Amino acid sequence: MIKAPYIATQRHLTRRSLLRGIGVSLGLPLLDSMSPAFAKTAPLTPPRRFLGICNNLGLLPGKFFPGSDRAGFGYELSPYLKELKSNRDNFTVFSGVSHPDVDGGHPADICFLTAAPRPGSSGFRNTISLDQYVAERIGHLTRFQSLTLGVNTQGDGRSLSFTGSGVRIPPEQSPSGVYRKLFFQGNPKEISEQQRKLALGKSIMDAVVGQVSGLQKKVGSRDRERLDQYYTGIRELEIRLEQSRVWEAKPKPKTEVQEPTDLKDPVDYMKKTELMYRLAHLAFETDSTRMITLMLDSVSSPAITVNGKSVGDGYHNLSHHGKNPDKMAQLERIDTAHMRLLNGLISQLGETPEDKATLLDRTMVLYGSNLGNASSHVTTNLPVLFAGGGFKHGQHLAFDQGNNYPLPNLYLSMLNRLGIDAKKFASSTNTMRGLDLL
């Protein structure tokens, strides 16, 4: 049993509203009309959410995609999609989609939600990810603007989430750490200390702003423009700090679900994935956040265990199967396990009621990869499955295999569904053709 109040706001001004004067863009201070509150009398807007999942080694294309001639609502399920048969009316499968100008093979995983071009180039700089674009606009409505999660993200910590300036947000890999973040309140002394630290951070920001203001009088126009952007970023951070301070004083939700045990061994990749799916469900069920990303770093995974048995070879090595039947059979075991876990997640969201609807009705689940074929490192014809969110599902949207349809068009449709009146995101050209609301 989860106990959590709905979150309402009387917000009439956006966080992105700006005061412009003397050549400087200032973020508005936190006003009462912006502050999240557990209002009992204000009308509640049904929350809408997004979970983005990327498996950076993809899936065997021949087992995932329906035939190109099997488009529309009457398509025949492919071998992998048969694992989601119980939810076929709750998802749409896409073929012939990709990110324009996103190449580079493995490096393209960090562009799955940004669509920033040429990730393999020496001068590459990432752009804002879809979840953070949304978090900047509605993140204040929940305790956590977003959650960035990862499984086996070794080394540099591959991530799906990037800030407006293209800075990577490191993923959380500890299920117990995520659980504590969601549900452990801390005693009054700990809460007070956290509030003190947040206030100290705000005072440091104030000092930095003072220094920046002094510099603006001494530099040229190009540097002033850069300082203006920096100044605006600091002001936005100040607002986030203040919002965090307000949330520290509010009780966290309670759950009867036990704290999960962390799995240290990378071979437990599938169990880790299942734990992260459960935590994403809990976070949405308690309305602790509305934006979650999950990087499944298959590249950094060894010979993983599936249903208690090792697949026998490293995940990455298997992906370069060269059409070797044995390797492809092992990959099929892994891919099938992925599809079963995804089906479980979709079912769990669909079985969770929320105010005359379900979590799935209000949660968009995007599952896909940066690689259309991991064996050849191609970044076209990406395997993409999209579930929930109040769209008309149960269909296969098949686009041109040679001249791919822009996947960011789906992102634009998702932004609009979240109540964000965006006209464009990344390389989108329009909203997703053929995808309608219920």
Side-chain angles (χ1 to χ4, degrees), residues 410-425:
L410 173 61
Y411 297 176
L412 187 60
S413 292
M414 294 165 68
L415 288 173
N416 292 168
R417 188 57 169 157
L418 288 162
I420 297 172
D421 186 21
K423 305 301 182 186
K424 185 176 177 63
F425 180 80

Side-chain angles (χ1 to χ4, degrees), residues 50-54 113 131-132 146-153 157-161 169-179 181-182 272-284 289 291-297:
F50 165 61
L51 169 59
I53 306 163
C54 176
L113 293 180
D131 61 305
Q132 294 307 302
S146 63
L147 287 180
T148 301
L149 309 177
V151 169
N152 285 1
T153 53
R158 311 297 290 180
S159 177
L160 292 182
S161 300
I169 299 176
E172 304 249 10
Q173 296 197 75
S174 164
S176 66
V178 176
Y179 180 94
K181 186 174 184 177
L182 292 173
K272 292 180 181 182
T273 299
E274 185 175 16
L275 282 177
M276 288 305 186
Y277 283 175
R278 290 178 181 175
L279 287 166
H281 173 265
L282 281 174
F284 286 153
T289 189
M291 294 294 114
I292 301 178
T293 64
L294 174 58
M295 171 69 87
L296 303 177
D297 193 355

Side-chain angles (χ1 to χ4, degrees), residues 275-351:
L275 282 177
M276 288 305 186
Y277 283 175
R278 290 178 181 175
L279 287 166
H281 173 265
L282 281 174
F284 286 153
E285 188 179 13
T286 55
D287 205 27
S288 297
T289 189
R290 296 177 187 172
M291 294 294 114
I292 301 178
T293 64
L294 174 58
M295 171 69 87
L296 303 177
D297 193 355
S298 306
V299 175
S300 297
S301 299
I304 66 176
T305 298
V306 177
N307 298 326
K309 297 181 180 179
S310 174
V311 293
D313 205 345
Y315 201 161
H316 188 194
N317 184 44
L318 288 176
S319 73
H320 294 287
H321 51 76
K323 297 187 178 181
N324 178 288
D326 182 57
K327 288 187 175 183
M328 293 180 73
Q330 292 184 67
L331 269 179
E332 186 173 351
R333 284 181 56 201
I334 295 173
D335 291 350
T336 300
H338 272 299
M339 294 296 97
R340 289 173 180 169
L341 288 180
L342 181 60
N343 187 60
L345 170 66
I346 295 172
S347 294
Q348 190 175 31
L349 291 170
E351 293 164 1

Side-chain angles (χ1 to χ4, degrees), residues 88-102:
R88 75 166 293 155
D89 292 334
N90 293 322
F91 70 84
T92 294
V93 61
F94 301 94
S95 60
V97 298
S98 63
H99 289 315
D101 299 321
V102 174

Side-chain angles (χ1 to χ4, degrees), residues 81-123:
L81 296 182
K82 285 180 180 178
E83 301 296 333
L84 295 96
K85 182 178 179 180
S86 61
N87 281 299
R88 75 166 293 155
D89 292 334
N90 293 322
F91 70 84
T92 294
V93 61
F94 301 94
S95 60
V97 298
S98 63
H99 289 315
D101 299 321
V102 174
D103 50 19
H106 291 306
D109 59 359
I110 61 173
C111 299
F112 185 64
L113 293 180
T114 70
R118 312 299 180 199
S121 64
S122 59

Side-chain angles (χ1 to χ4, degrees), residues 24-303:
V24 180
S25 298
L26 300 175
L28 282 173
L30 186 71
L31 306 177
D32 289 341
S33 59
M34 294 180 179
S35 298
F38 296 109
K40 296 182 179 179
T41 57
L44 298 176
T45 300
R48 296 203 175 275
R49 308 175 178 92
F50 165 61
L51 169 59
I53 306 163
C54 176
N55 174 359
N56 62 10
L57 283 184
L59 301 159
L60 287 172
K63 298 290 184 178
F64 175 77
F65 292 113
S68 59
D69 58 336
R70 297 172 180 173
F73 288 93
Y75 76 98
E76 181 180 346
L77 293 172
S78 65
Y80 286 174
L81 296 182
K82 285 180 180 178
E83 301 296 333
L84 295 96
K85 182 178 179 180
S86 61
N87 281 299
R88 75 166 293 155
D89 292 334
N90 293 322
F91 70 84
T92 294
V93 61
F94 301 94
S95 60
V97 298
S98 63
H99 289 315
D101 299 321
V102 174
D103 50 19
H106 291 306
D109 59 359
I110 61 173
C111 299
F112 185 64
L113 293 180
T114 70
R118 312 299 180 199
S121 64
S122 59
F124 172 74
R125 183 171 183 175
N126 217 337
T127 53
I128 193 167
S129 55
L130 180 66
D131 61 305
Q132 294 307 302
Y133 184 91
V134 176
E136 286 188 353
R137 288 152 178 81
I138 64 172
H140 66 283
L141 296 174
T142 52
R143 183 181 296 274
F144 303 106
Q145 289 196 330
S146 63
L147 287 180
T148 301
L149 309 177
V151 169
N152 285 1
T153 53
Q154 306 298 320
D156 63 351
R158 311 297 290 180
S159 177
L160 292 182
S161 300
F162 289 80
T163 68
S165 54
V167 176
R168 176 180 62 90
I169 299 176
E172 304 249 10
Q173 296 197 75
S174 164
S176 66
V178 176
Y179 180 94
R180 288 171 175 267
K181 186 174 184 177
L182 292 173
F183 302 115
F184 276 38
Q185 183 69 40
N187 58 46
K189 183 178 179 181
E190 291 171 333
I191 293 173
S192 177
E193 175 62 15
Q194 181 63 16
Q195 288 178 319
R196 186 191 69 80
K197 290 179 179 179
L198 290 168
L200 176 61
K202 187 174 184 300
S203 67
I204 292 173
M205 292 297 101
D206 287 337
V208 172
V209 166
Q211 295 178 19
V212 171
S213 297
L215 282 173
Q216 285 175 323
K217 301 175 183 178
K218 304 175 183 179
V219 298
S221 58
R222 185 173 179 179
D223 282 339
R224 276 198 301 272
E225 182 178 349
R226 292 174 178 172
L227 287 173
D228 287 348
Q229 295 172 352
Y230 181 62
Y231 190 90
T232 301
I234 292 173
R235 284 303 189 196
E236 289 180 349
L237 181 56
E238 282 185 314
I239 292 174
R240 291 192 184 193
L241 288 170
E242 179 62 18
Q243 290 168 348
S244 296
R245 188 187 65 79
V246 171
W247 278 108
E248 280 296 321
K250 298 183 183 297
K252 288 187 176 181
K254 299 182 183 298
T255 178
E256 294 177 0
V257 177
Q258 296 298 308
E259 180 180 342
T261 300
D262 288 342
L263 301 168
K264 303 294 185 182
D265 197 331
V267 303
D268 291 320
Y269 171 97
M270 287 299 176
K271 291 182 179 179
K272 292 180 181 182
T273 299
E274 185 175 16
L275 282 177
M276 288 305 186
Y277 283 175
R278 290 178 181 175
L279 287 166
H281 173 265
L282 281 174
F284 286 153
E285 188 179 13
T286 55
D287 205 27
S288 297
T289 189
R290 296 177 187 172
M291 294 294 114
I292 301 178
T293 64
L294 174 58
M295 171 69 87
L296 303 177
D297 193 355
S298 306
V299 175
S300 297
S301 299

